[in-house]
Structure formats: C-alpha cells, structure tokens
C-alpha cells in the first residue's frame, strides 16, 4: 500500500479556538499557521466600534495507513463534506470554580452553581444552554436560521451561541456568540467566577464530518471547538502557552519523544521572546524586559551572548537560568521568573503554585542551555501561511497554532481552556502522529452533570475528566467571563515597586501604552527626553471603569467592547540611538467617549507647545479660557476619579 493512499480521515485543528464579538456581520478567521499575523492590517472592530468575532475554521485531511496526513479533502467533483456541530454552555448547571482539582492536598471541593435549584429536571430546563446539533454542507453556505445555535434557553430566555458557515472550498467556519452576558432577574454580579443567576454565551462542543466520495461515505475523526472570550492582545503569547503545557505532559508520559539536544532558537528563545513581548501589557514586565532594559533579550549585544555556547558566556547563562522558578520545588519562590501568579494564588499563601513556573520540560531545557549543552539551531521565522507548510505537517500545525494562542496558566480558572488539559486521561492517544486530540464522547451520548451536591477532587479526577462533549471544556470557567477578566489584574500588593505579578496580561492587559502616548512619541518637535517620558507612561487598561469593585466588574459586562485592543504599530520619527524603537504595541480602537474630554491631556499639549513654534501669550490665554469654559459646561458629566479596587478586595 502506498504512503500516499488515503485510508482514513480526520478533522483539523483537533482543537479549534473561536472568540466572541458583538459585531453582527464582521469577523475574521483565526490564525492557522504559527507565524501568521492575526487579522493582518485590519481593524478588530467594525465602524460602529463593535468587536469582530474570531472564527475557527476546520478542514478535513486524508490520512495514510500510518496515520500521517496525505492531502486535504475539499468539496470538488464527486467529493463532498457534510459537517455536524453541537455547541453547549454548561457553566450555570455545573460546579463552582474554586481552584484546579489536580493540585493535590490543596485542591478544593466545589458546590453546585445555582445550588438553590435542587431538582435536576429543573436545573436542566433553566440552566443548561443546549441548542442541539446543527448540520451544514456545500460551499459558501451560511447566514440562515437553520445554521444558528439560537434556540437554547436560560430561564426560558433564548440565548444565541453562534452559527455555522462554509467557505468556497466547503471548509467549516464556526462563529461564536456576541459577548452578551446577563442575570435572569437583573441582579448585579458580585464576584469573579461564580455568579449565580448569570449566563454568558461562550460554548464548546464536537465538530464532526462525513466525507462522501463517489457515493461512499467515510466518517472523519472528530475535533472540538471552544468559543472563548475576545483576545485583547492579538499576537501576544503567554510565556507558557497551552501547547507548552500539553507538550510537557506528553514528554513526561513518553507519548512524545523529547528532542535529544536543546536548540536555542527552537526551545530557549521563545521563552525570552514572550517575556519581552509582554512588556506591552504590563508595566513591571516593561521595566524588566522592555525597550532599554538590561533584560531586553532582543538587544543584539545581549542576544549574541545568549546564542553562544562558549564557556566564557557560561556565567551569564547560569545567572539568567537561576532567575527562573524551579517547578520541582515544594516552596514559594516569589522573586523568580516568570512574573505571573499561579494556580494557587489567593487560596494558599505558602503553596509553591502561588506563582507560575515554566513547565518542567522548559525548565530542564533552560538548565541544559545554562550548562552549554545546546546547539544554536537555525533561526527560522515561523511560517506565515498554512500553504507554506508541507502537507504532511499541516494538520499538526493547525492544532499547534490554536494551542499556542491559548494561555498555559495560571488556571484560576484561565481565559480559553483550563487545567484539566494537563490530564493524560483527556487525550486520544490512538494515533502517535496526532496526539494533540481530545477523547470525544460518542455521538448522541448525554453529558453527565450530576456528581452530587459536592464535587470532591478525587472523585472528579476519577470520573469527570476522561472525555469531552458539548459544553465540557468551558463549564468550569468564570461566569460570566467579563467579571473574571475585570478581576484578574496585576500587582495586588501596591507596596511593591513594580505592578507584578500579572494574571493573564497577554489576553487581559494590565498597563498599556495609549494611542495618545504614541502620537507624542512621534512628535519630533518634542525634546527627546519628553518623548521618552511618553514611551514610559503606561496607563491602566481598565481605567475607564470607575468606582469600587462591584461597579467595575458590572461595567465590564456592559462595556467590554469599548475598551482598547493592543496591537503592533509602526513608529514614525523613530530614534534608535535615543531608545525609541520602530515598533511598539499600542492600545488602539478605544471608544471615543472615554478620551475626548481629558483636561490633563489638554494641559499637557499647551505646555508641550513650548517645544515647537513659540506661541503668543494671548493665544495661550485664549486657549485656556476656551478649555475652562468647556470644563465648566461639562462639570456635571465628569464625576471625581475614584481609586481602582483590586481582585483581593472583593
């Protein structure tokens, strides 16, 4: 039998990530290659300021007898693909999130969400949003009622979870919900993850495909899709990604063979690069690893030393390695890297998991690098397009790309996917060439929700995390997602010098460089020192939501689409010698109402005019009088600023 002969079929990516957005018509397809720029050169909001949905696209590939990808299957000639997708939201019918249940002695048991409803028939009727399965086939199909997941209900109210479409080749497009969250009785949210009476419109479920060739049907191996919250830092990755977490599991369990030798560009540099990139979303990380910092690993002089395996650079490598938290130790290591909270933060002060560590695999690779036991390898940019990847690697690349765009911690509970993906029992390991595929329930089986009034970790680990079905991947996530993201920030101890650790900065930014700051950085009439001040000026991402903790998390529910999305921007009038780079990550697409009436900015502009053409005194006086009049007219609309509350002040 030829290695090119198709013997079976599989859906890829094995796990696809879609994201909610409140633009009803505009969307973009999520990244499909590791080096692809997300939504390149396009806005992330429509012309009315509504966030575009990120779509998960699925393909069918033919596999040979060894389980390797041979070719992609598309709708053409006598070959047709018919898709079946079932989405559900099981958050409200499930159990509370307290902490990750695989943390051993410190894992916490969980009560039911909405525990006042004790009858399980009533719980399924009122709390389970399960619109059922949808079918679609053909090319360029969609935008019709039959393809919408819109008949699931929460306390009798219909909830839209998304819809299906196909592209010109018959590939599947999964669009998620619109970011709408609410309580059934109008009550406000009060906490970060377990708000009773609330629902949102994230979801997940199996993606199945039937391939028909010359009238003969073949069933493809199914995949899972997860519809998650928006990505407010598209293009930024966590220092630890979900791909790193699962790969670490597979290496330690001998599912995958660890490469025999560490390579700098493949294994080490991504850790350093992600630390540097997170400067865009956290001021403390900017201080440590950002532009002009001694820890800027992209600085050519430093990078040349890190690449060298020579003995003379050994002390430097060892020094850097010792900055990283050892995941094998059983005590806290606060002053180590990476600067992120861990799974146990807020629950057990003395636990080592209070802070995030790199994976055990990453740590061992850093250790070998420090010893000089590595080769440089080839510095190759990740492919920007799927078609640039050899066909036999495309399926794996699709899955890897989706997992690389998911955070690998802290899982408290997380943003996209959570802690139980580091359980070997969750994974279908029947094809050694395709291990990153979840066990999926048989079609038509019912997901079990009732594990008693209390879910205890030992029972959950034994019975609950062995396969995936509609709504199972997202059921432990915060409800609604907006309250969790508005709660999980950085630097809760305000007495510390830097606002670290962070929770999920690459997805939920902490401190950012505003568009106005970029405009001042680019003004070549300003003294270089003043331009540097603007570059160093970072503002709180959630600064537009005033008041105490509860008003802030409820403001996030209502106005999440109006805050900024952090994106890569070219800098005009750059000055490399002075420390102003040609690229910066900048808060963009903020609702105009948040920034149009800022008297402090107007004051600043008046003073900075001194650096340009010298204004006449009467011009300054007249301008100030005009500003004073505007402020007087709008004084009733500008309440005094209140301090921002932190998550630990709940």
């Amino acid at each position: 039998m030829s290695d090119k002969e198709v013997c079976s079929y599989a859906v890829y990516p094995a796990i696809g990530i879609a994201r909610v957005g409140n633009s009803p018509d505009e969307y973009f397809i999520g990244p499909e290659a590791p080096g692809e720029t997300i939504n390149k050169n396009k806005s992330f909001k429509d012309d009315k300021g509504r966030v575009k949905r990120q779509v998960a696209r699925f393909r069918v590939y033919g596999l040979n007898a060894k389980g390797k990808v041979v070719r992609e299957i598309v709708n053409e000639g006598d070959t047709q693909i018919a898709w079946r997708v079932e989405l559900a939201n099981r958050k409200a019918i499930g159990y509370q999130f307290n902490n990750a249940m695989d943390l051993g002695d410190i894992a916490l048991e969980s009560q039911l969400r909405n525990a006042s409803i004790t009858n399980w028939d009533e719980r399924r009727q009122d709390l389970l949003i399960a619109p059922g399965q949808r079918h679609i086939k053909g090319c360029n199909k969609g935008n019709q009622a039959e393809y919408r997941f819109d008949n699931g209900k929460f306390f009798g109210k219909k909830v839209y979870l998304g819809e299906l479409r196909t592209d010109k080749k018959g590939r599947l497009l999964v669009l998620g919900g619109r970011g709408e969250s609410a309580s059934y009785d109008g009550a406000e949210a009060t906490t970060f993850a377990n708000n009773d009476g609330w629902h949102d419109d994230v979801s997940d479920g199996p993606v199945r495909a039937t391939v028909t060739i010359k009238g003969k049907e073949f069933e493809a191996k199914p995949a899972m899709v997860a519809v998650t919250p928006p990505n407010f830092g598209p293009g930024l990755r966590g220092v630890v990604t979900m791909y790193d977490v699962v790969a670490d599991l597979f290496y330690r369990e001998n599912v995958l063979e660890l490469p025999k030798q560490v390579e700098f560009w493949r294994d080490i540099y991504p850790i350093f690069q992600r630390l540097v990139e997170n400067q865009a979303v956290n001021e403390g990380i900017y201080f440590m690893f950002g532009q002009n910092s001694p820890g800027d690993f992209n600085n050519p002089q430093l990078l040349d030393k890190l690449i060298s395996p020579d003995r003379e650079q050994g002390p430097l490598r060892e020094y850097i390695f010792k900055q990283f938290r050892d995941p094998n130790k059983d005590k806290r290591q606060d002053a180590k890297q990476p600067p992120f909270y861990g799974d146990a933060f807020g629950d057990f002060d003395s636990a080592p998991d209070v802070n995030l560590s790199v994976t055990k695999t990453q740590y061992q690779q850093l250790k070998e690098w420090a010893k000089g036991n590595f080769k440089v390898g080839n510095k190759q940019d990740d492919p920007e397009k799927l078609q640039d990847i050899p066909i036999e690697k495309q399926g794996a690349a699709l899955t890897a790309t989706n997992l690389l765009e998911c955070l690998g911690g802290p899982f408290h509970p997380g943003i996209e996917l959570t802690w139980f993906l580091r359980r070997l029992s969750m994974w279908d390991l029947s094809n050694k060439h395709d291990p990153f595929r979840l066990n999926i329930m048989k079609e038509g089986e019912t997901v079990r929700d009732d594990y008693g009034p209390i879910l205890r970790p030992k029972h959950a680990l034994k019975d609950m995390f062995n396969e995936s079905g509609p709504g199972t991947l997202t059921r432990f996530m915060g409800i609604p997602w907006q309250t969790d993201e508005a709660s999980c920030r950085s630097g809760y101890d305000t007495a510390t010098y830097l606002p670290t650790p962070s929770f999920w900065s690459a997805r939920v930014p902490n401190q950012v460089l505003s568009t106005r700051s970029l405009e001042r950085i680019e003004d070549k009439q300003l003294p270089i020192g003043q331009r540097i001040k603007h570059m160093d000026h970072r503002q709180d991402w959630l600064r537009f939501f005033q008041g105490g903790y509860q008003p802030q998390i409820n403001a996030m529910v209502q106005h999440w689409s109006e805050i900024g999305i952090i994106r890569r921007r070219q800098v005009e009038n750059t000055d490399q010698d002075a420390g102003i780079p040609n690229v910066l990550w900048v808060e963009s697409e903020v609702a105009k109402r948040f920034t149009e009436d800022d008297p402090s900015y107007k004051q600043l502009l008046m003073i900075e005019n001194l650096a340009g053409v010298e204004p006449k005194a009467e011009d300054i006086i007249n301008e100030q009088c005009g500003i004073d009049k505007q402020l007087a007219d709008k004084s009733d609309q500008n309440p005094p600023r209140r301090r921002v509350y932190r998550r630990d002040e709940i």
Side-chain angles (χ1 to χ4, degrees):
M1 183 177 293
S2 169
D3 284 346
K4 298 296 183 181
E5 183 176 346
V6 174
C7 298
S8 62
Y9 302 86
V11 177
Y12 287 92
I15 303 175
I17 303 298
R19 297 181 187 272
V20 302
N22 60 345
S23 178
D25 303 313
E26 297 188 43
Y27 60 85
F28 60 91
I29 295 173
E32 298 183 306
E36 181 178 348
T37 300
I38 301 175
N39 200 29
K40 188 174 183 179
N41 298 327
K42 297 179 181 178
S43 65
F44 288 91
K45 297 183 182 182
D46 64 20
D47 58 5
K48 293 185 178 179
R50 299 170 298 192
V51 173
K52 299 175 184 178
R53 285 180 279 184
Q54 176 179 305
V55 172
R57 177 159 59 182
F58 291 87
R59 305 164 186 250
V60 173
Y61 284 88
L63 313 180
N64 65 17
K66 297 177 181 178
K68 294 183 177 181
V69 168
V70 173
R71 63 185 175 92
E72 185 184 357
I73 310 299
V74 297
N75 274 24
E76 59 183 4
D78 55 10
T79 300
Q80 299 293 313
I81 304 171
W83 299 92
R84 309 184 306 283
V85 181
E86 185 174 1
L87 298 180
N89 179 311
R90 315 192 86 86
K91 287 186 178 183
I93 198 175
Y95 292 84
Q96 295 179 353
F97 172 80
N98 289 318
N99 70 354
M101 289 189 169
D102 63 346
L103 294 179
D105 293 341
I106 64 172
L108 300 171
E109 61 186 28
S110 294
Q111 295 181 331
L112 285 166
R113 287 170 170 161
N114 300 289
S116 62
I117 304 175
T118 57
N119 181 280
W120 273 93
D121 288 336
E122 291 181 20
R123 290 182 66 82
R124 281 184 282 270
Q125 179 177 337
D126 291 339
L127 305 174
L128 175 60
I129 307 173
Q133 194 177 75
R134 296 292 182 271
H135 298 229
I136 193 170
K137 62 181 179 180
C139 300
N140 294 320
K141 298 293 184 180
N143 204 23
Q144 298 174 25
E146 63 183 296
Y147 306 130
R148 296 174 192 150
F149 297 92
D150 59 359
N151 62 326
K153 296 180 180 180
F154 185 76
F155 281 100
K157 177 185 176 182
K158 288 186 178 180
V159 177
Y160 170 88
L161 292 183
E163 59 190 84
L164 304 180
R165 300 188 183 190
T166 59
D167 69 8
K168 63 183 180 180
K169 293 287 190 179
R171 305 179 185 106
L172 176 69
L173 305 178
V174 180
L175 287 72
R178 298 192 177 106
E180 296 178 356
S181 304
S183 58
Y184 80 96
D185 59 358
E188 289 196 334
T190 59
T191 188
F192 78 101
N194 301 304
N195 288 287
D196 283 352
W198 276 78
H199 78 278
D200 60 25
D201 57 3
V202 306
S203 62
D204 65 86
V207 175
R208 305 179 190 273
T210 301
V211 179
T212 302
I213 303 176
K214 296 180 179 180
K216 188 174 182 179
E217 293 186 350
F218 303 90
E219 194 65 22
K221 198 150 200 177
M224 288 289 291
V225 62
V227 180
T228 73
N231 182 352
F232 291 102
L236 298 174
R237 289 178 178 167
V239 177
V240 181
T241 69
M242 183 59 81
Y243 182 85
D244 297 322
V245 169
V246 181
D248 172 69
L249 169 69
F250 290 166
Y251 288 137
R252 289 187 291 105
E253 296 289 344
N254 297 316
V255 174
L256 293 176
E257 184 178 352
L258 190 66
K260 291 183 171 57
Q261 187 169 22
V262 173
E263 291 188 13
F264 178 83
W265 290 114
R266 183 191 64 204
D267 304 318
I268 306 303
Y269 180 71
I271 300 172
F272 296 161
Q273 171 69 1
R274 294 169 194 168
L275 279 168
V276 171
E277 287 185 342
N278 271 260
Q279 68 176 296
V281 283
N282 179 275
E283 186 178 23
I285 298 175
Y286 171 62
F287 262 79
M288 289 187 282
F289 301 105
Q291 182 75 22
N292 304 323
S293 166
D296 179 2
F297 294 118
N298 282 334
N299 182 305
Q301 288 76 30
L302 177 58
L303 192 55
D304 285 346
K305 296 176 182 179
L306 303 181
I307 292 172
S308 172
D310 293 345
R311 181 178 298 179
E312 64 188 69
Q313 301 301 337
L316 174 63
R317 294 194 303 269
E318 184 69 16
Y319 180 83
I320 292 174
F321 166 67
K322 287 183 177 179
Q323 308 310 308
F324 283 88
R325 200 168 286 118
D326 185 346
N328 303 292
K329 287 194 173 181
D330 59 358
K331 62 181 180 180
R332 287 183 61 166
Q333 306 162 74
D334 288 346
K336 298 284 188 178
Q337 302 294 344
F340 294 93
Y341 294 113
D343 293 356
F345 176 75
D347 297 322
F348 296 92
D349 290 342
S350 61
D353 296 301
V354 166
N355 298 296
L356 181 71
S357 300
V358 294
T359 68
K360 291 183 178 180
T361 299
Q362 288 175 313
Y363 187 79
Q364 184 61 34
Q365 290 171 330
L366 285 166
K367 187 175 184 178
E368 293 302 309
W369 167 77
K371 293 178 179 178
N373 298 332
F374 72 99
K375 62 180 181 179
V376 175
N378 297 319
K379 185 182 187 306
Q380 297 178 336
D381 292 332
D382 289 330
E384 295 184 10
K385 298 179 180 179
L386 185 64
Q387 54 264 39
D388 295 336
I389 299 172
I391 187 68
E392 65 271 15
K393 297 181 179 180
Q394 285 186 10
L398 283 165
T399 303
T401 299
N402 278 264
L403 292 177
L404 283 167
E405 297 300 324
C406 295
L407 298 184
F411 295 133
H412 201 274
I415 297 292
E416 298 100 351
L417 302 168
T418 193
W419 61 270
F420 46 76
L421 266 66
R422 60 191 178 200
R423 302 284 300 170
L424 196 64
S425 60
M426 290 291 295
W427 298 95
D428 176 1
L429 305 177
S430 59
N431 182 356
K432 66 179 181 179
H433 301 294
D434 186 27
F436 290 83
R437 188 174 295 273
L438 291 163
N439 284 319
I440 298 176
M441 297 177 63
K442 293 181 180 178
E443 195 167 9
E445 285 188 353
T446 301
V447 173
R448 179 182 172 185
D449 293 301
D450 181 7
Y451 291 84
I454 302 292
L455 181 64
R456 293 180 171 82
K458 66 177 182 179
H459 297 142
L461 296 179
K462 178 177 180 293
D463 301 328
M464 200 174 195
F465 305 110
N466 301 311
E467 57 185 3
S468 298
T472 61
L473 291 181
T474 55
R475 59 182 165 183
F476 278 99
M477 307 305 278
I479 181 170
W481 63 266
Q482 293 99 327
T483 59
D484 200 11
E485 292 197 1
S487 301
C488 297
R489 305 189 186 181
S490 69
Y492 294 155
D493 183 355
T494 57
T496 58
Y497 189 73
L498 297 178
T500 52
S502 173
F503 255 96
W504 304 311
S505 60
R507 294 291 163 269
V508 184
N510 308 137
Q511 299 85 32
V512 297
L513 186 72
S514 72
T515 297
R516 281 183 164 169
S517 292
L518 177 62
E519 291 170 353
R520 308 316 297 149
I521 293 168
E522 293 178 327
D523 188 343
K524 63 181 180 181
Q525 292 190 14
L526 290 180
I528 193 64
Q530 186 74 351
R531 294 171 68 189
I532 292 291
K533 286 182 185 179
H534 282 292
M535 193 175 76
D536 292 341
H537 181 52
R538 304 301 163 107
Q539 294 180 273
D540 188 83
W541 180 63
L542 291 175
R543 63 193 180 278
F544 305 115
F545 299 155
Q546 299 287 310
Y549 174 75
Q550 193 165 329
Q552 288 176 344
I553 62 174
N554 284 280
M556 182 69 167
V557 172
Q558 298 299 321
H559 304 294
W560 62 270
S561 65
E562 297 183 73
I563 52 182
I565 294 176
I566 317 306
R567 59 185 307 169
R568 185 182 175 95
R569 300 273 293 273
Q570 292 292 322
V571 180
E572 296 181 6
N573 300 320
T574 183
D575 191 329
Q576 299 279 0
D577 292 338
I580 297 178
N582 55 16
V583 172
L584 287 168
W585 289 79
V586 181
E587 177 191 50
S588 307
E589 301 182 77
V590 176
K592 185 177 180 181
R593 72 181 182 93
F594 286 139
T595 60
E596 60 185 351
D597 292 319
D598 183 346
S600 71
Y601 186 67
K602 295 174 182 177
Q603 289 172 327
L604 175 65
L605 292 183
M606 289 179 60
I607 296 302
E608 288 189 342
N609 279 340
L610 295 172
V613 178
E614 293 188 8
K616 296 179 181 179
E618 60 267 26
D619 292 338
I620 297 178
I621 294 171
N622 291 336
E623 185 174 357
Q624 183 61 57
C625 290
I627 292 173
D628 290 342
K629 185 178 187 304
Q630 291 176 23
L631 295 179
D633 292 341
K634 297 183 178 182
S635 60
D636 293 337
Q637 302 176 25
N638 291 282
R641 294 177 64 88
R642 301 178 178 88
R643 77 182 182 93
V644 175
Y645 282 68
R646 306 184 308 274
R647 178 176 177 173
D648 61 343
E649 297 182 40
I650 298 174

